[in-house]
Amino acid sequence: MEKQTSVKNPPPPAAGPAPLLSSHEWETLIDDFQSGAPSRRSRWLQLPLIDLALHNLLRKDFPSSMKPQLLIFLEESSDLLFLPSPSTSLPPLIDFVRSFLLSPADSSQPLLKEQAMVSATSIAIVALDSPSPHILDPLVELLLSVANRPNHGIDRHTRAIACDCLRELELAHPLLLSDAAGHLWSLAQAERTHAAQSYLLLLATVVASISIHGLLSSSSSILSTAIPLVPFNSPRALLSPRASSDPSDLSLREVRRVVAFLLERPQALTPCATMELVAVLSRIIGALERRVPAVAALLKVQFSGLLHCYDPLLCHVVLMLHSRFSDAFAGDDELGIARRLALIPKEAHQPLVFRLLALHWLLGSPRLARNKGFLPSLVHCFYPSIFDPLALKAAKLDALACVAAHVDGVRSERDAASQEEGKKDTTSHELGNNGRTATVAVLFDGGLICVSAFKWLPPWSTETSVAFRTLHKFLVGVFPHNDGDSIDDKIHSVFGSSVFCTLQDMLVNLALEHRRLVSVIATFVDRLIGCKAHQVVGQRLLQILDEKLLPNLEINYQLASYFPIFERVAANDSIPPRVLLELLTRHMLYLTGKHDLESGLRSWSQGSKVLGICRTMLMHHHSSRVFRGLSNLLAITCQFFPDLEVRDTARIYLRMLLCIPGKKLRATMNLGGQLPGVSPSSHPTAFFEVPSSLHSQDNKKLSGVSQCMHLRRAIPLLVKQSWSLILPNLESHNDETSYFEGIRDIIIPSTAPEREIEPNINRAISSEEPLRMTDSKVAETLRVLRMHFSCIPDYRHMPGTKIRIPCILRFEAESFNQIWGSESPSLDSGELDNLPALYATTITFKSTAKYGSIPACRIPFLLGEPSKTGFDIVPIGSNFEEVSRFHSPLTIELEPREPSPGLIDAALTANIENGQIISGSLQSISVGIEDMFLKASLPSDVPDDMVPDYYLDLFHALWEACGSSTNTGRETFLLQGGKGAAAIYGTRSVKFLDVAADSLINAVEQYLTPFVVSVSGQLLVNKIEGNGIVKNVIWVDYSSGLSVNEDNALVPYSDHVPLQLGYIQDESDGVLNPRENSKRNLGTVLVLIFLPPRFHLLFLMEVGEVSTFVRIRTDHWPCLAYVDEYLEALIA
């Protein structure tokens, strides 16, 4: 077949028949669907993929290796191909399966037939949420036709697959095969091949559905064969299930016959099938347990012998029956199960997984492990043997830990009961404690002997991890995490338990006999202290080590092995430091006496570590508690210790202990605190600080940085702002936002219902205004404002709006060399390689204005600018200065909290060629009001062709809102993130510009083009639109179309009356409206400017031939102080 279309970009299906796909195209299609990318899938969904796949499956010339892949593809993509319309897509699939099963057989057909049945069944189950007889009946009839040939040896595997498919359909739609139960029983009795297990499971599943869903109450036989098997019709019970009621005697007898028949056939089942059959039988017996209570004992008798098999699945069958029908198992039966599970780990010929599972089942069963108390009698089975795998040893040691916790808990309860009743004297109680401790000690020693190699292996060995994990299990078994008793009572019982007593003695002996385990013991204690439930236990172990370990240690060089424990003891303020300080003092005297030429490095190392322990003690103890012993230790060290560094460090510690109060001393000794300009010592326990490599600079060089290095703006300001309006924050709470920022958190009362929630905003007005009705115009204004404010980020909870100021940095080579000493080549000398350069330059910024945190700028390399000779040739029209290699561009990012001008102070730090670091201040950068001019954010759901209309609607909405606070009522607008809201408090002003129309148009096009939203008036539109600079705005030919209300303007404009402010309203009655004299009025220009973080500035420019009248409205009145100068500079 000739390929008509490209595989990568197939066209949409034509009106005629769809083109067939080749095997290569099918491979590409399957790969695109398996990728999960919607873009790769969508280009194939235009084709009738189901019809094409079914057609290729029936073709004999289609590759046989691709047919199973097509069936699996239909199955995996059923949610995309069949779910949209299962009633129309599933019948062709069922017809294909029918024709495929009736086709002549060949060597490859059986596998494809089985895959076709499985795929069709899976697709039908996924596509149909509820039973649909007109779709399910043909499929079930087809599968029943295949299964209705018992003992047919050729297709026995195909019949087994058909039974499995019918079973899945029955599980998905219970009672689907309820009318065919009698026929299925006959088929199961007649089948003698290995397919019998599929028939048995199908019969059991159907009978379970009948038992559970209330069909046993029917007076008719559930095993009746009066209804023919084929043709198949869905039973009425499938669509209208009956209510559960008492079963009839006839139904009970028939169900018992079926159960008895199934119990006679376990030898025909595999282990997996046996487990499934027992699960189904458990459901049947669970439904009949109230009427036939003895039937559960049949299952126990039939399957309890499986516990002695070598298959884990068959053992799991017995445990499943025990957990479901525990009343059917007597005490001897449960003890037999526990013994068998305890003996399986000892059988070396069993797989490791089976041996681990047996211990897991035994310890995880509450009835076997805890309630019945079988573990102490089985303790001899839990001792690990020397040849057991390490994982099995760990599991057996966990079992021993459970036994120890059980024994200790039972004997503690007995002793407590005996003490309450007064039946035991003190002597018998001590004997009981001694016997209990001896039993737990035997468990410790007998269990850990299998991993005794940890005593001489490295601390990081696996045997060591297993041994200390076991110790932790023993301890946690006595005091588990989820214990519900009071902590104080339980702690006292833990400290008096035999497990804890044995464990503390074992840890002390291990530390004394095996020094390499000291670090592991310290980690073990840290694990306990780090746990909230066992923190007190870990601290108690530290106290035991302080009391029993430290007095028994010998003073020699090997004492350094115990320093990890000394660190923990020193850091614990509940342990008196006296014993530790005396031990350290004797150790320092020992190091002083044993010092010679060969032990110099060892003395320095151990002396520094001792001082590190002293530092830890100063950080965690009150100075009054350690003053006497620590001052004695430090005095001996600074006088007699042979190493100079250790002596100096001890002297510093001693002077700090004597002179600095305790709280300040602990803050000073904190390891995280470093002095500025000082690098930490290479040794973590030393106190010496090494000064940094920063060369000192004199005042001349510091001031010379600003003389030779110049930082300036890339775009000069229009207004040379030399002042800034600073308004104090008059709020009562300093941590709240000022009034001019106008953002408040929404406070939602916790007790109010959800429908009554209203943002609680701190208003500028003191009295609450009454509610009022809003008309459609006000509602539209509020809608536009809500949409706009939802795009403004709340800088208190997320990154705010940023402005960027491009700048240029350069430095003069001649001035640089005069200050730092070098000859400066000129530009025409050809010695550019000798020019000075700056490396790794960092420029930091700070400002007193509200610009937030200003990130620093970094310049990897900057070459010095040589001096000019006066005869340099520069091409006309080229910006030689901007493209010079001696200039480095950088950008200052600001996040204003208030739109106001200000100054930014800059400081430079850089490396020069000789490795010296230079630093100094640069020229300040001025920030003007025009730097705050930004375009309003655009919502994501506004189409591109509606952007001009959106900005015009936003201008009108803000114009109305800023005109009077009554226009928006008491409305507040949620900002982006939904945590804060803002209100609009507008103000108005006017500005008269004595400038010709052409000059104003040029200024607007040069500086305000991004902010123009509309131009009205035919003459003005012709001029501005003809220039081609202002684009994507609303053009209105006649100014009468403008919907901005000017009746309430602050100062009306007239060509005949001079600009003046009236004292009373009557003075402006005779003023002519500008629209009445349109001969000299060309039109209007609307300008919308966003001022970060959330304010706005609006200009309505009424452009005349010789003058322009600007109406100004804003929701941030302090900016009017700068707008007047900006408009003057705009036309200058």
Side-chain angles (χ1 to χ4, degrees):
M1 182 184 69
E2 183 180 358
K3 184 177 177 181
Q4 299 293 334
T5 59
S6 172
V7 177
K8 294 185 178 179
N9 297 297
L20 298 179
L21 301 179
S22 64
S23 59
H24 176 68
E25 292 172 328
W26 277 112
E27 290 177 356
T28 306
L29 183 148
I30 293 173
D31 182 67
D32 289 344
F33 271 77
Q34 290 178 347
S35 67
S39 59
R40 296 177 63 180
R41 289 178 176 177
S42 59
R43 59 194 186 96
W44 295 105
L45 293 176
Q46 309 174 44
L47 300 175
L49 296 180
I50 299 177
D51 298 336
L52 292 176
L54 298 180
H55 179 74
N56 285 333
L57 287 170
L58 293 174
R59 287 173 52 197
K60 294 187 178 297
D61 58 341
F62 194 75
S64 301
S65 60
M66 280 296 300
K67 291 184 179 181
Q69 298 184 33
L70 288 183
L71 291 172
I72 296 174
F73 160 71
L74 292 176
E75 182 179 348
E76 293 178 346
S77 306
S78 58
D79 55 340
L80 295 175
L81 303 179
F82 294 92
L83 271 184
S85 58
S87 59
T88 58
S89 57
L90 282 178
L93 176 64
I94 299 174
D95 294 339
F96 153 74
V97 177
R98 179 182 296 106
S99 61
F100 195 64
L101 292 177
L102 297 177
S103 62
D106 54 28
S107 59
S108 61
Q109 287 295 322
L111 296 177
L112 288 177
K113 289 180 180 180
E114 296 164 6
Q115 183 62 48
M117 289 189 294
V118 172
S119 299
T121 304
S122 176
I123 292 171
I125 293 174
V126 172
L128 296 177
D129 295 333
S130 59
S132 182
H134 70 281
I135 296 178
L136 287 177
D137 290 355
L139 179 59
V140 175
E141 180 180 337
L142 180 61
L143 296 174
L144 287 174
S145 301
V146 176
N148 192 18
R149 289 180 294 190
N151 293 322
H152 194 261
I154 298 177
D155 60 345
R156 56 186 180 273
H157 194 266
T158 303
R159 291 186 289 110
I161 295 297
C163 291
D164 293 337
C165 293
L166 289 170
R167 182 167 173 258
E168 294 298 328
L169 287 173
E170 175 67 23
L171 291 174
H173 305 287
L175 302 179
L176 176 64
L177 299 174
S178 58
D179 289 349
H183 296 283
L184 296 177
W185 190 31
S186 301
L187 292 175
Q189 288 176 324
E191 184 63 39
R192 290 294 181 268
T193 65
H194 76 275
Q197 72 172 5
S198 298
Y199 285 90
L200 294 175
L201 291 175
L202 175 59
L203 174 62
T205 304
V206 173
V207 174
S209 298
I210 293 174
S211 303
I212 295 173
H213 293 87
L215 288 189
L216 295 181
S217 59
S218 175
S219 58
S220 59
S221 173
I222 62 173
L223 300 178
S224 174
T225 57
I227 301 177
L229 190 62
V230 218
F232 178 80
N233 293 312
S234 297
R236 288 180 297 177
L238 177 66
L239 301 176
S240 57
R242 298 182 181 180
S244 59
S245 58
D246 294 337
S248 62
D249 295 337
L250 176 61
S251 299
L252 287 177
R253 287 196 301 270
E254 291 179 342
V255 170
R256 294 186 66 174
R257 289 174 58 193
V258 174
V259 171
F261 167 72
L262 294 174
L263 291 177
E264 294 174 356
R265 297 296 182 94
Q267 68 276 3
L269 305 177
T270 62
C272 295
T274 302
M275 187 173 65
E276 293 190 17
L277 178 62
V278 172
V280 177
L281 289 176
S282 300
R283 294 165 54 197
I284 298 174
I285 294 175
L288 304 178
E289 191 175 10
R290 188 180 62 178
R291 296 297 301 272
V292 190
V295 73
L298 296 176
L299 289 180
K300 184 197 74 170
V301 173
Q302 182 69 26
F303 296 105
S304 59
L306 297 178
L307 190 64
H308 299 276
C309 296
Y310 295 149
D311 196 314
L313 290 177
L314 298 179
C315 293
H316 189 267
V317 167
V318 182
L319 297 176
M320 187 169 56
L321 289 176
H322 175 260
S323 63
R324 179 64 179 84
F325 305 105
S326 56
D327 296 337
F329 290 81
D332 294 338
D333 298 329
E334 292 183 335
L335 180 58
I337 294 175
R339 285 177 178 174
R340 177 57 185 161
L341 293 179
L343 288 174
I344 289 176
K346 298 186 66 176
E347 299 175 356
H349 60 277
Q350 298 284 7
L352 176 61
V353 176
F354 191 15
R355 301 167 74 182
L356 292 173
L357 271 176
L359 284 173
H360 173 73
W361 288 332
L362 179 58
L363 299 180
S365 174
R367 293 180 59 86
L368 298 177
R370 297 177 178 85
N371 297 349
K372 298 295 183 181
F374 295 142
L375 288 183
S377 62
L378 303 173
V379 67
H380 62 280
C381 301
F382 299 143
Y383 288 111
S385 65
I386 192 171
F387 296 109
D388 283 340
L390 199 57
L392 185 60
K393 290 180 181 179
K396 289 184 177 182
L397 290 173
D398 291 347
L400 288 177
C402 292
V403 173
H406 178 78
V407 171
D408 195 80
V410 171
R411 294 191 177 181
S412 297
E413 293 177 0
R414 291 178 181 175
D415 293 345
S418 300
Q419 287 179 0
E420 291 178 0
E421 297 175 2
K423 294 182 179 180
K424 281 193 176 182
D425 55 4
T426 307
T427 306
S428 61
H429 180 65
E430 291 178 356
L431 291 175
N433 283 340
N434 294 334
R436 181 179 59 183
T437 304
T439 303
V440 176
V442 169
L443 293 176
F444 268 104
D445 297 336
L448 292 180
I449 194 173
C450 67
V451 288
S452 58
F454 77 91
K455 296 179 181 179
W456 58 81
L457 287 175
W460 43 262
S461 64
T462 312
E463 286 80 0
T464 306
S465 301
V466 171
F468 279 87
R469 176 182 177 273
T470 303
L471 298 181
H472 187 267
K473 288 285 185 180
F474 271 86
L475 187 57
V476 172
V478 181
F479 187 27
H481 292 82
N482 56 352
D483 199 284
D485 299 337
S486 62
I487 298 297
D488 296 336
D489 298 339
K490 192 64 179 177
I491 285 296
H492 292 298
S493 63
V494 170
F495 292 161
S497 65
S498 57
V499 172
F500 185 79
C501 297
T502 306
L503 179 62
Q504 67 183 18
D505 295 339
M506 182 178 295
L507 290 178
V508 172
N509 294 332
L510 286 175
L512 288 173
E513 298 173 4
H514 307 282
R515 292 191 304 272
R516 65 176 65 198
L517 295 178
V518 171
S519 60
V520 185
I521 295 174
T523 305
F524 176 78
V525 175
D526 289 342
R527 181 180 180 183
L528 293 174
I529 294 178
C531 177
K532 185 177 181 181
H534 300 121
Q535 184 177 10
V536 181
V537 180
Q539 294 178 354
R540 178 59 180 167
L541 281 179
L542 274 181
Q543 294 177 4
I544 297 298
L545 293 174
D546 179 70
E547 296 171 0
K548 297 185 177 181
L549 176 64
L550 269 62
N552 297 323
L553 294 177
E554 297 181 1
I555 304 300
N556 50 31
Y557 285 116
Q558 283 72 31
L559 189 66
S561 303
Y562 298 91
F563 283 174
I565 293 181
F566 295 170
E567 286 279 353
R568 273 73 175 179
V569 173
N572 195 309
D573 57 354
S574 63
I575 302 176
R578 181 183 59 82
V579 178
L580 179 59
L581 287 174
E582 292 177 356
L583 182 64
L584 294 178
T585 303
R586 288 189 285 124
H587 183 60
M588 294 298 280
L589 292 174
Y590 173 83
L591 294 177
T592 303
K594 293 291 184 178
H595 179 73
D596 53 20
L597 294 178
E598 297 180 356
S599 61
L601 186 60
R602 180 183 297 180
S603 300
W604 167 81
S605 175
Q606 295 194 11
S608 300
K609 292 178 180 179
V610 169
L611 293 182
I613 297 173
C614 296
R615 181 175 190 167
T616 303
M617 202 173 295
L618 286 173
M619 292 170 58
H620 295 89
H621 290 265
H622 293 285
S623 57
S624 59
R625 190 180 190 186
V626 299
F627 181 82
R628 184 171 181 178
L630 188 58
S631 60
N632 184 30
L633 171 61
L634 295 176
I636 293 175
T637 303
C638 65
Q639 291 181 18
F640 305 109
F641 200 80
D643 187 80
L644 177 61
E645 180 182 349
V646 176
R647 289 203 309 268
D648 290 344
T649 305
R651 185 177 296 108
I652 294 174
Y653 282 171
L654 181 59
R655 297 182 68 179
M656 295 174 68
L657 179 63
L658 295 175
C659 302
I660 303 178
K663 185 177 295 186
K664 292 184 178 181
L665 178 61
R666 288 192 294 272
T668 305
M669 301 300 292
N670 191 351
L671 289 174
Q674 296 293 343
L675 297 177
V678 180
S679 62
S681 171
S682 58
H683 197 277
T685 59
F687 188 75
F688 273 103
E689 306 287 3
V690 181
S692 63
S693 59
L694 220 129
H695 295 282
S696 59
Q697 304 178 24
D698 54 18
N699 296 330
K700 176 183 177 182
K701 292 185 177 181
L702 289 174
S703 61
V705 172
S706 60
Q707 296 178 8
C708 64
M709 301 179 188
H710 307 281
L711 179 65
R712 62 177 178 84
R713 295 174 57 103
I715 303 175
L717 285 173
L718 190 64
V719 179
K720 305 298 182 182
Q721 199 74 44
S722 59
W723 59 277
S724 178
L725 179 62
I726 304 298
L727 296 174
N729 184 8
L730 301 179
E731 294 288 334
S732 59
H733 301 287
N734 295 331
D735 56 344
E736 295 182 357
T737 310
S738 66
Y739 163 76
F740 299 105
E741 293 170 340
I743 301 176
R744 290 293 183 270
D745 283 331
I746 299 177
I747 303 175
I748 301 177
S750 58
T751 59
E754 185 175 354
R755 63 180 181 271
E756 297 179 14
I757 291 177
E758 182 181 6
N760 184 10
I761 309 298
N762 186 9
R763 308 282 184 180
I765 56 177
S766 58
S767 62
E768 187 172 347
E769 299 178 4
L771 298 175
R772 63 183 180 86
M773 299 296 293
T774 59
D775 56 7
S776 59
K777 180 180 178 181
V778 175
E780 179 63 17
T781 299
L782 295 178
R783 185 192 66 82
V784 175
L785 292 177
R786 291 192 188 101
M787 183 186 304
H788 169 62
F789 277 87
S790 65
C791 300
I792 300 176
D794 187 355
Y795 63 83
R796 301 170 307 160
H797 306 290
M798 62 177 62
T801 306
K802 298 182 181 298
I803 65 172
R804 292 171 175 83
I805 303 175
C807 300
I808 294 175
L809 176 68
R810 67 181 181 89
F811 77 98
E812 299 172 358
E814 183 176 2
S815 302
F816 181 88
N817 292 329
Q818 289 177 357
I819 298 174
W820 277 275
S822 179
E823 295 182 1
S824 174
S826 60
L827 186 60
D828 58 348
S829 63
E831 297 178 1
L832 295 181
D833 294 338
N834 297 327
L835 290 175
L838 299 181
Y839 303 88
T841 303
T842 301
I843 303 177
T844 57
F845 308 95
K846 62 180 180 179
S847 176
T848 57
K850 299 179 180 180
Y851 295 153
S853 177
I854 307 175
C857 294
R858 291 171 174 81
I859 302 172
F861 175 80
L862 180 60
L863 195 62
E865 184 178 8
S867 59
K868 304 296 190 299
T869 60
F871 302 98
D872 302 315
I873 301 175
V874 180
I876 299 177
S878 66
N879 194 351
F880 177 78
E881 184 180 7
E882 296 298 330
V883 299
S884 173
R885 74 186 76 176
F886 309 109
H887 297 173
S888 177
L890 56 94
T891 303
I892 304 176
E893 284 190 359
L894 307 178
E895 188 176 329
R897 303 292 189 262
E898 185 177 341
S900 61
L903 292 177
I904 301 176
D905 299 327
L908 177 142
T909 302
N911 293 280
I912 58 178
E913 294 177 349
N914 59 2
Q916 187 177 359
I917 299 176
I918 63 173
S919 61
S921 300
L922 299 176
Q923 296 87 352
S924 298
I925 298 297
S926 299
V927 180
I929 188 64
E930 61 262 43
D931 292 325
M932 304 291 166
F933 289 5
L934 297 177
K935 196 169 184 179
S937 301
L938 186 67
S940 59
D941 56 348
V942 177
D944 294 337
D945 55 344
M946 296 298 295
V947 171
D949 296 316
Y950 168 78
Y951 280 121
L952 183 59
D953 294 341
L954 179 60
F955 179 91
H956 290 315
L958 290 171
W959 187 270
E960 291 293 330
C962 295
S964 174
S965 60
T966 59
N967 292 343
T968 56
R970 294 182 294 110
E971 185 71 23
T972 57
F973 305 96
L974 290 178
L975 302 179
Q976 184 178 354
K979 295 184 179 181
I984 296 179
Y985 306 103
T987 186
R988 298 176 291 178
S989 181
V990 294
K991 178 67 176 179
F992 180 81
L993 302 178
D994 189 8
V995 62
D998 293 336
S999 300
L1000 179 73
I1001 292 172
N1002 293 335
V1004 170
E1005 290 177 345
Q1006 184 176 358
Y1007 296 104
L1008 298 177
T1009 296
F1011 315 111
V1012 176
V1013 298
S1014 176
V1015 179
S1016 61
Q1018 185 174 5
L1019 297 177
L1020 189 60
V1021 167
N1022 293 338
K1023 285 189 177 184
I1024 297 180
E1025 189 176 12
N1027 295 337
I1029 298 177
V1030 178
K1031 300 178 181 178
N1032 298 325
V1033 301
I1034 300 299
W1035 306 98
V1036 183
D1037 291 338
Y1038 300 98
S1039 61
S1040 60
L1042 183 65
S1043 61
V1044 177
N1045 185 13
E1046 299 172 2
D1047 297 334
N1048 296 326
L1050 181 63
V1051 180
Y1053 170 75
S1054 175
D1055 293 331
H1056 299 277
V1057 180
L1059 181 63
Q1060 58 184 350
L1061 295 175
Y1063 289 97
I1064 58 176
Q1065 184 68 25
D1066 296 336
E1067 291 183 10
S1068 60
D1069 292 342
V1071 178
L1072 296 176
N1073 195 302
R1075 297 176 181 173
E1076 297 178 0
N1077 188 3
S1078 59
K1079 295 182 180 180
R1080 299 173 61 188
N1081 189 4
L1082 303 181
T1084 58
V1085 178
L1086 306 185
V1087 179
L1088 168 60
I1089 300 173
F1090 176 78
L1091 302 176
R1094 63 150 199 99
F1095 302 105
H1096 308 83
L1097 180 62
L1098 309 176
F1099 294 154
L1100 191 151
M1101 297 182 174
E1102 298 178 357
V1103 183
E1105 293 181 352
V1106 296
S1107 63
T1108 296
F1109 190 81
V1110 183
R1111 304 182 188 274
I1112 307 169
R1113 291 190 183 183
T1114 181
D1115 53 353
H1116 185 67
W1117 66 263
C1119 74
L1120 296 176
Y1122 317 108
V1123 170
D1124 187 80
E1125 291 186 14
Y1126 175 78
L1127 293 176
E1128 290 289 346
L1130 189 68
I1131 62 174

